[in-house]
Amino acid sequence: MRSPKDFFRPLAVGAPTPVREVPFRPSRMIHFFDPGNEKMAAKIPAIAPTVDVLLGNLEDAVAADRKEAARAGLVAIAKATDFGNTQLWTRVNSLDSPWVLDDLITLVTEIGDKLDVIMVPKVEGAEDIHYVDRLLAQLEAKAGTERPILVHAILETPTGVANVEEIAGASPRMQGISLGPADLAASRRMKTTRVGGGHPGYLVREDPQGDAPRATYQQDLWHYTIARMVDACAAHGILPYYGPFGDIKDTVACEDQFRNAFLLGCVGAWSLHPVQIAIAKKVFSPAPADVAWARKVIAAMGDGTGAVMIDGKMQDDATYKQCQVVARLADELAARDPELAEAYAAAEKE
Ligand SMILES: CC(=O)SCCNC(=O)CCNC(=O)[C@H](O)C(C)(C)COP(=O)(O)OP(=O)(O)OC[C@H]1O[C@@H](n2cnc3c(N)ncnc32)[C@H](O)[C@@H]1OP(=O)(O)O
Ligand SMILES: CC(=O)C(=O)O
Ligand SMILES: [Mg+2]
């Protein structure tokens, strides 16, 4: 293991200096598109201003015989499009695939100055991040990129979940981690056939009370993994994300799954279809009434210490800190989103 003193040194001569803190940029939705699909690609200039992150996907969902077309499509779109303050990410193929080396070489060389984050699938341990870290430094040095491209890991194998803390802290490039429920389910041998979300068979049943019907309550299959991921990310100062929700037509369940993740600490989710963009935007932006309440507590708490009563509820140092989390997030999102800024200002006046 490298000395902690060397942790923030570039891994190649001439590579940009690693960041000391992950920049918080709104990323409520990471919008996936297949850059080799002409119909989807044509929509990207119009979608760009409506999302926080656009992600050109090269891995699963891109057929094996379309991998090169997807890679070339992403290069062409990145070169031709002004993304404004929308981030551009990519998901490269997995590290054991025949495509990933060309993905990384081509993308960093051709559009390294436009790419904010590279998502790496099926990460199993710190060694996977170390491999990508060094390779990116070499490619960045060669391409002359001025800022380091950050790395995002997908948690989609049992080994990855077991090693999530070391993955989160493996490199200063680590920007965040997403749950990958579909591959994780397969590799854990779960008996589901879905992409994220619940399952009606995973439930608890009320105890019997005479002959009365016994209510059942569906449980969240993903709670354990998301909670572990959130803790690992928070401990290492990086950002956790719920991943994809595959039942595109079930917008209600999608909203519920996203909201559970938001409440547990995630900052965003993936949108696989345009219909999921608004859902993620709504869910991962704190509600105006909650922001108004948070600001009221902060104002009443002065220097943030001691205890006060507001509307019948005890507030102290710890609720002050929770309110700061909500208020800061609201400020960061409002700076990007004028409509949200107006909604927050209006709620405060009520
Ligand atoms: C487990 C994982 O790894 S999840 C991540 C990998 N999966 C993905 O990235 C999937 C991305 N999404 C998709 O491929 C598509 O949305 C699908 C296949 C799910 C559905 O596609 P369609 O059947 O075309 O959906 P639908 O007919 O509702 O699309 C409406 C329009 O939106 C377009 N569209 C669909 N998804 C997207 C998207 N993600 N981005 C931009 N445009 C899109 C379609 O091309 C279509 O365009 P048209 O009106 O010009 O015909
Ligand atoms: C997100 C992803 O890749 C998966 O669920 O497998
Ligand atoms: Mg996967």
Side-chain angles (χ1 to χ4, degrees):
M1 201 172 134
R2 275 187 295 159
S3 156
K5 289 187 207 126
D6 293 332
F7 192 67
F8 290 103
R9 287 223 184 121
L11 289 178
V13 176
T17 306
V19 292
R20 285 195 168 252
E21 287 211 16
V22 173
F24 181 89
R25 295 179 66 189
S27 44
R28 294 164 291 183
M29 71 301 287
I30 303 168
H31 183 71
F32 269 59
F33 71 99
D34 172 354
N37 175 325
E38 280 175 19
K39 248 170 52 174
M40 261 194 221
K43 294 195 159 48
I44 292 311
I47 288 180
T50 71
V51 297
D52 294 336
V53 178
L54 267 174
L55 182 144
N57 177 36
L58 307 185
E59 200 225 11
D60 292 357
V62 174
D65 62 355
R66 300 290 302 157
K67 295 288 185 189
E68 264 135 47
R71 190 192 299 138
L74 180 56
V75 169
I77 291 165
K79 286 188 170 171
T81 313
D82 177 0
F83 296 101
N85 59 4
T86 296
Q87 298 181 58
L88 179 66
W89 296 19
T90 185
R91 174 169 83 167
V92 294
N93 285 286
S94 62
L95 297 179
D96 60 357
S97 75
W99 304 290
V100 65
L101 190 59
D102 287 338
D103 290 344
L104 290 169
I105 292 173
T106 304
L107 296 179
V108 179
T109 307
E110 297 283 334
I111 55 168
D113 52 342
K114 284 217 154 171
L115 273 180
D116 293 291
V117 174
I118 293 181
M119 189 180 268
V120 183
K122 303 175 177 75
V123 172
E124 302 221 292
E127 65 279 8
D128 290 340
I129 302 299
H130 295 161
Y131 168 78
V132 172
D133 199 4
R134 177 78 74 173
L135 185 54
L136 286 181
Q138 292 167 341
L139 293 169
E140 286 168 343
K142 197 161 172 227
T145 53
E146 288 181 0
R147 58 180 172 79
I149 299 168
L150 301 184
V151 169
H152 183 110
I154 313 180
L155 206 55
E156 49 186 346
T157 70
T159 312
V161 176
N163 293 326
V164 66
E165 285 87 4
E166 70 165 46
I167 293 168
S171 159
R173 278 188 206 273
M174 281 302 297
Q175 176 275 344
I177 301 182
S178 286
L179 173 73
D183 272 300
L184 185 54
S187 57
R188 272 180 179 163
R189 283 182 274 160
M190 290 166 66
K191 307 303 179 297
T192 53
T193 54
R194 304 168 170 213
V195 177
H199 191 288
Y202 193 70
L203 50 79
V204 291
R205 187 178 301 272
E206 223 177 31
D207 282 357
Q209 287 172 23
D211 293 333
R214 296 163 65 186
T216 59
Y217 304 93
Q218 198 172 317
Q219 306 294 297
D220 184 356
L221 285 166
W222 304 109
H223 180 268
Y224 156 78
T225 314
I226 294 178
R228 273 203 74 173
M229 177 182 77
V230 167
D231 282 346
C233 289
H236 287 279
I238 69 171
L239 305 173
Y241 298 77
Y242 179 75
F245 187 86
D247 193 343
I248 308 289
K249 297 282 179 215
D250 193 350
T251 51
V252 175
C254 175
E255 181 170 335
D256 292 338
Q257 181 76 68
F258 283 6
R259 184 164 294 104
N260 289 348
F262 172 69
L263 289 170
L264 267 187
C266 291
V267 299
W270 301 6
S271 50
L272 301 183
H273 185 279
V275 77
Q276 293 182 334
I277 294 171
I279 301 172
K281 188 170 177 175
K282 174 179 168 196
V283 170
F284 289 98
S285 308
D290 294 345
V291 176
W293 168 260
R295 295 203 201 288
K296 185 170 164 177
V297 173
I298 290 168
M301 281 291 295
D303 72 352
T305 65
V308 296
M309 187 83 135
I310 304 179
D311 299 349
K313 297 179 178 64
M314 189 281 295
Q315 308 298 327
D316 70 0
D317 310 46
T319 56
Y320 175 79
K321 286 176 198 155
Q322 291 175 63
C323 289
Q324 280 186 314
V325 169
V326 173
R328 277 194 199 128
L329 177 58
D331 288 342
E332 281 155 351
L333 297 178
R336 174 176 170 78
D337 190 332
E339 249 178 58
L340 206 52
E342 259 179 52
Y344 290 153
E348 261 187 86
K349 284 191 197 127
E350 279 170 15

